[in-house]
C-alpha cells in the first residue's frame, strides 16, 4: 500500500445516498449541490430497478463547520425533487476487497428467490463476499452476475456448481480480471451442440438403419463405448449410399436456437470461433461457409465413384483429437489456452472441455455435466454469451446497429 493510500484511510468522508423515482437530471443535481462545498469525489455507484434509483456518492467531508450546512442543503434539495437522502460519516474509501476475485453467473428459467438465496448462502459459507450484483439478461433466461471477493475461484466453483442442478439454475464461476473481455477463442462441438441433430443419424435415415446407429451413438456419448470403434461401426452401415445424399443431409441440419446469435455476437466482439466434430467434413465445411467460422475440423466420409464406401479417411477426430485441435486452433489464433472456451455435450468432448480456460457442458450427458467447469441446461446456445459477461442489451444494440 502506498503512503498516499495509507494517509487517505484517515481522511473524513461522507457517503451520500439518494433514492426514489428515477428521472433525468438527478445525478447532475446532486453533484451541483455538493460542488458548493468543494468536496472531492471518491466513488460513485448508481442502480436503477423498475424505475427506482439508488445513487451513492462517496465524497471527502467539508470542513467541520460546513458539514451541518451540507447535510441540510442535500436533504432540502432531495425533498424538493421528491427523493430521499441519507448521509453517513466515515473515514477513507471502501474497505479493501478480500483476496480472490471471481465472477459468478447464474442462469435461471425462471430464477427463483429460493435458488438466489441458496447461491448467496453458499458464497458466504465458502468465505466469499458479494460486492456487486448485476443483471445480464431477462430473456430467454434470467441471468445475473455476482462479483465476489474473499475466496479463490476454484473452491468457490466447487461450492456453487455441485448442487446447482438441484436448485434449477446453471452456475458459472470464472476468475475476474481484464481477460474477461480480451480477445478469445470459442470452439464448439457440432452434433447436439451447434446443431440439434446427430449427423450420422441423418445419413443413417437415408440408409434405413437409423435406430441401430442411434443406439450406438447414444452409448458412445455416454462414454460406454470407445468412440473410434463406434464411429467405424456406424459408418460401415452407410456403405453404398449415393453421394447425392450429402446435399440432402445438409438441408436437413437444424441449427440450435441461438446459434446464429452466439456466433454473430462473438465475431462482432473480435472473438474467433471454430468447431470440432466427430461427424463429417461434408457437413462442417458447409456450416463453416454459412456461419463464417474461423476453424472447422471433422472426420471425412470416403466417397469413391459417387458412393459412400462405409469408411472414413484421414486422422480420426475423437475425444483426444478434439482437445488436440483446440490447442492447435488456439496456437493459430494467437490466443492463450487460458483464454479459450469450449462447448460440448458428449463424453468425447470431455478432454476439450477440461483443456479450455472455460469448459461449458451444453444440455450434456450427466458424466459431462459433472466434469465440466459449468453447465447450461436451457435450449438456447446464445446463453453462453452471459457466461462471458455479455449482456442481452449489448447483443440487441449490436444487432440494431448492423441493421442501420
Amino acid at each position: 500500500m502506498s503512503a498516499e493510500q495509507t494517509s487517505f484511510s484517515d481522511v473524513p468522508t461522507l457517503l451520500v445516498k439518494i433514492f426514489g423515482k428515477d428521472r433525468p437530471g438527478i445525478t447532475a443535481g446532486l453533484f451541483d449541490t455538493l460542488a458548493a462545498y468543494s468536496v472531492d469525489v471518491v466513488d460513485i455507484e448508481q442502480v436503477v430497478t423498475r424505475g427506482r434509483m439508488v445513487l451513492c456518492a462517496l465524497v471527502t467531508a467539508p470542513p467541520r463547520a460546513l458539514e451541518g450546512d451540507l447535510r441540510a442543503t442535500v436533504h432540502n434539495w432531495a425533498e424538493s425533487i421528491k427523493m430521499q437522502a441519507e448521509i453517513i460519516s466515515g473515514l477513507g474509501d471502501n474497505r479493501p476487497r478480500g483476496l480472490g476475485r471471481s465472477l459468478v453467473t447464474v442462469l435461471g428459467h425462471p430464477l427463483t428467490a429460493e435458488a438466489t438465496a441458496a447461491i448467496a448462502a453458499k458464497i458466504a459459507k465458502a468465505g466469499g463476499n458479494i460486492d456487486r450484483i448485476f443483471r445480464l439478461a431477462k430473456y430467454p433466461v434470467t441471468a445475473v452476475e455476482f462479483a465476489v471477493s474473499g475466496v479463490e475461484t476454484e473452491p468457490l466453483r466447487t461450492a456453487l456448481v455441485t448442487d446447482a442442478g438441484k436448485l434449477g439454475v446453471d452456475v458459472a464461476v470464472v476468475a475476474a480480471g481484464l481477460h474477461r473481455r480480451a480477445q478469445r477463442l470459442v470452439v464448439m462441438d457440432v452434433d447436439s451442440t451447434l446443431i440439434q441433430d446427430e449427423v450420422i443419424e441423418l445419413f443413417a435415415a437415408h440408409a434405413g438403419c437409423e435406430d441401430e446407429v442411434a443406439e450406438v451413438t447414444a452409448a458412445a456419448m455416454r462414454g460406454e463405448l470407445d468412440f473410434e470403434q463406434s464411429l467405424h461401426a456406424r459408418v460401415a452401415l452407410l456403405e453404398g449410399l449415393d453421394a447425392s445424399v450429402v446435399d440432402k443431409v445438409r438441408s436437413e441440419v437444424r441449427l440450435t436456437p441461438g446459434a446464429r446469435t452466439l456466433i454473430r455476437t462473438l465475431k462482432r466482439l473480435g472473438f474467433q470461433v471454430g468447431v470440432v466434430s466427430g461427424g463429417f467434413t461434408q457437413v462442417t465445411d458447409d456450416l463453416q461457409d454459412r456461419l463464417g467460422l474461423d476453424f472447422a475440423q471433422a472426420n471425412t466420409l470416403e466417397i469413391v465413384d459417387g458412393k459412400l464406401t462405409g469408411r472414413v479417411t484421414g486422422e480420426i477426430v475423437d475425444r483426444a483429437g478434439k482437445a488436440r485441435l483446440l490447442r492447435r486452433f488456439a496456437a493459430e489464433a494467437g490466443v492463450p489456452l487460458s483464454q479459450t472456451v469450449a462447448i460440448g455435450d458428449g463424453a468425447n468432448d470431455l478432454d476439450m472441455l477440461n483443456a479450455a480456460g472455460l469448459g461449458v457442458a451444453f444440455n450434456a450427458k450427466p458424466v459431462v455435466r459433472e466434469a465440466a467447469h459449468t453447465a447450461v441446461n436451457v435450449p438456447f446456445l446464445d446463453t453462453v454469451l452471459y457466461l462471458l459477461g455479455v449482456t442481452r442489451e449489448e447483443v440487441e444494440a449490436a444487432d440494431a446497429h448492423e441493421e442501420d
Side-chain angles (χ1 to χ4, degrees):
M1 181 180 291
S2 68
E4 181 180 354
Q5 289 172 311
T6 302
S7 61
F8 183 77
S9 64
D10 297 325
V11 172
T13 52
L14 298 176
L15 174 61
V16 181
K17 183 168 72 172
I18 306 297
F19 48 100
K21 185 177 180 180
D22 185 34
R23 65 183 74 91
I26 294 174
T27 304
L30 173 62
F31 286 99
D32 276 343
T33 303
L34 294 173
Y37 298 90
S38 300
V39 298
D40 296 329
V41 177
V42 179
D43 197 2
I44 309 172
E45 187 156 351
Q46 179 174 310
V47 177
V48 178
T49 304
R50 212 177 69 176
R52 308 296 291 183
M53 165 196 272
V54 178
L55 169 61
C56 293
L58 184 65
V59 299
T60 54
R64 187 176 296 275
L66 296 177
E67 183 175 328
D69 188 57
L70 179 151
R71 287 174 175 269
T73 301
V74 170
H75 279 285
N76 288 337
W77 166 79
E79 185 176 345
S80 73
I81 60 171
K82 296 182 171 53
M83 301 287 282
Q84 297 181 63
E86 181 180 4
I87 303 175
I88 303 172
S89 300
L91 294 176
D93 199 348
N94 307 308
R95 63 180 178 81
R97 294 176 63 187
L99 296 178
R101 310 283 175 83
S102 301
L103 296 171
V104 177
T105 305
V106 181
L107 309 179
H109 189 53
L111 178 61
T112 66
E114 179 183 9
T116 305
I119 293 295
K122 285 177 177 291
I123 291 172
K125 187 175 181 180
N129 184 73
I130 299 172
D131 300 313
R132 183 172 180 266
I133 304 175
F134 176 72
R135 187 179 72 181
L136 295 167
K138 60 183 178 182
Y139 72 92
V141 299
T142 300
V144 295
E145 180 178 274
F146 296 75
V148 177
S149 62
V151 59
E152 295 298 331
T153 300
E154 285 304 321
L156 181 62
R157 177 183 291 141
T158 300
L160 296 181
V161 173
T162 305
D163 295 327
K166 297 178 183 177
L167 298 172
V169 296
D170 298 323
V171 180
V173 183
V174 298
L178 292 175
H179 67 276
R180 185 78 181 281
R181 287 298 185 90
Q183 185 186 40
R184 301 174 79 170
L185 168 69
V186 176
V187 176
M188 289 176 275
D189 172 44
V190 175
D191 294 9
S192 298
T193 301
L194 177 63
I195 66 174
Q196 301 177 57
D197 313 283
E198 292 287 334
V199 168
I200 196 165
E201 293 178 14
L202 296 179
F203 277 100
H206 292 280
C209 55
E210 184 178 10
D211 290 344
E212 186 176 352
V213 165
E215 184 178 342
V216 177
T217 298
M221 293 302 99
R222 291 192 299 266
E224 298 170 2
L225 296 176
D226 174 78
F227 179 80
E228 183 172 351
Q229 291 178 342
S230 71
L231 175 67
H232 288 304
R234 287 174 290 168
V235 171
L237 297 171
L238 307 181
E239 182 180 359
L241 269 181
D242 192 271
S244 63
V245 77
V246 170
D247 288 335
K248 296 177 183 177
V249 168
R250 286 176 175 175
S251 68
E252 293 166 352
V253 165
R254 301 166 300 162
L255 291 174
T256 297
R260 288 187 183 276
T261 300
L262 172 66
I263 295 170
R264 181 175 64 244
T265 305
L266 290 173
K267 299 290 286 182
R268 288 174 183 163
L269 291 172
F271 286 36
Q272 297 188 61
V273 184
V275 294
V276 291
S277 177
F280 310 111
T281 56
Q282 282 84 357
V283 170
T284 58
D285 288 351
D286 180 61
L287 290 171
Q288 183 174 18
D289 291 340
R290 287 166 52 195
L291 300 174
L293 301 172
D294 299 286
F295 305 97
Q297 189 69 44
N299 301 302
T300 299
L301 290 169
E302 184 181 64
I303 299 176
V304 176
D305 296 330
K307 302 287 186 181
L308 275 64
T309 65
R311 296 187 295 270
V312 292
T313 62
E315 184 180 6
I316 297 297
V317 179
D318 57 6
R319 176 170 170 166
K322 288 189 173 185
R324 185 169 58 251
L325 287 164
L326 172 70
R327 294 186 176 92
R328 192 184 84 190
F329 293 167
E332 293 178 8
V335 174
L337 202 59
S338 61
Q339 292 295 103
T340 61
V341 180
I343 310 169
D345 74 300
N348 66 328
D349 297 314
L350 274 174
D351 289 2
M352 175 178 73
L353 298 182
N354 290 328
L358 176 65
V360 181
F362 180 73
N363 290 313
K365 314 304 183 286
V367 65
V368 183
R369 290 199 303 268
E370 293 169 6
H373 297 137
T374 189
V376 171
N377 295 300
V378 293
F380 313 108
L381 193 56
D382 54 338
T383 54
V384 173
L385 290 168
Y386 310 142
L387 307 183
L388 306 179
V390 180
T391 68
R392 191 75 202 178
E393 289 180 347
E394 289 173 318
V395 174
E396 292 174 351
D399 286 343
H401 179 73
E402 183 173 271
E403 291 172 2
D404 293 342

